[in-house]
Amino acid sequence: MAHFSARQLKNFMQFWPPLLGAGVKIKEFTDDGTRVVVTHKPNMLTKNAMGVAFGGTMSAMTDPFFMLASMHRLGKDYKIWDTAGEIQFVKPGRGTLTADMRIPDETYELIKEKTANGDKYLHWFDVDIVDEEGDAVAHVRRQVYYRRNQKK
């Protein structure tokens, strides 16, 4: 993947068909790859049979972002893949929903340490999707694969 600025990634992802169609909006993508904030307001096309946020849309809110932030931060020296995802629905998603995904500097240091000798490293990230009152509507876990490219 070519190296893009955080602003370019944010602008591109705003129009990426799976997120655009799901009504997921990127509010923030930091230059240092430590934070991505996305929102979603359920509408006629994105509500489930019960009239609340569709679970697939809530999953899509977090799907590519830990991987993309990591790719932005670590650059082309790493292979980075989403490998697993889990979601637990806590309460119906109504109103504007927000996922505030963070990868602290300490996590990037851990990733570098675990992959320094060429080994793969699988890291789990946790994030809550919250409603307008700040209550969790879903607990999401995403696993990302990291491996430092071998120098030739």
Side-chain angles (χ1 to χ4, degrees):
M1 173 177 172
H3 191 70
F4 295 99
S5 72
R7 183 177 181 188
Q8 289 169 321
L9 273 170
K10 178 183 172 191
N11 289 338
F12 171 77
M13 294 303 290
Q14 291 285 66
F15 297 102
W16 191 48
L19 296 181
L20 181 65
V24 175
K25 298 191 180 339
I26 302 160
K27 297 297 181 184
E28 184 174 353
F29 195 122
T30 60
D31 287 333
D32 65 358
T34 59
R35 186 174 186 211
V36 180
V37 179
V38 301
T39 62
H40 168 69
K41 184 167 183 161
N43 62 50
M44 186 175 83
L45 298 175
T46 63
K47 289 180 181 177
N48 65 17
M50 300 303 293
V52 298
F54 174 61
T57 300
M58 285 194 276
S59 182
M61 288 176 71
T62 64
D63 185 9
F65 295 108
F66 288 108
M67 178 189 75
L68 288 174
S70 296
M71 290 171 77
H72 178 67
R73 172 73 173 252
L74 297 171
K76 61 184 178 183
D77 292 338
Y78 287 82
K79 286 185 177 57
I80 302 170
W81 297 92
D82 281 316
T83 57
E86 300 173 357
I87 189 165
Q88 178 186 15
F89 302 106
V90 180
K91 70 180 253 192
R94 294 185 174 92
T96 301
L97 307 178
T98 302
D100 186 348
M101 295 162 276
R102 296 174 187 243
I103 307 176
D105 290 332
E106 297 80 23
T107 300
Y108 284 118
E109 292 307 314
L110 176 66
I111 292 163
K112 289 176 184 177
E113 176 185 314
K114 296 286 189 180
T115 60
N117 65 357
D119 287 342
K120 75 175 182 181
Y121 173 62
L122 300 172
H123 189 86
W124 281 99
F125 294 96
D126 296 290
V127 62
D128 284 342
I129 298 174
V130 299
D131 61 18
E132 293 169 351
E133 287 76 42
D135 295 331
V137 299
H139 302 300
V140 181
R141 298 190 79 214
R142 294 281 176 195
Q143 186 182 61
V144 179
Y145 165 102
Y146 298 90
R147 185 183 296 263
R148 187 166 178 80
N149 292 331
Q150 300 299 317
K151 300 202 177 184
K152 295 178 184 181

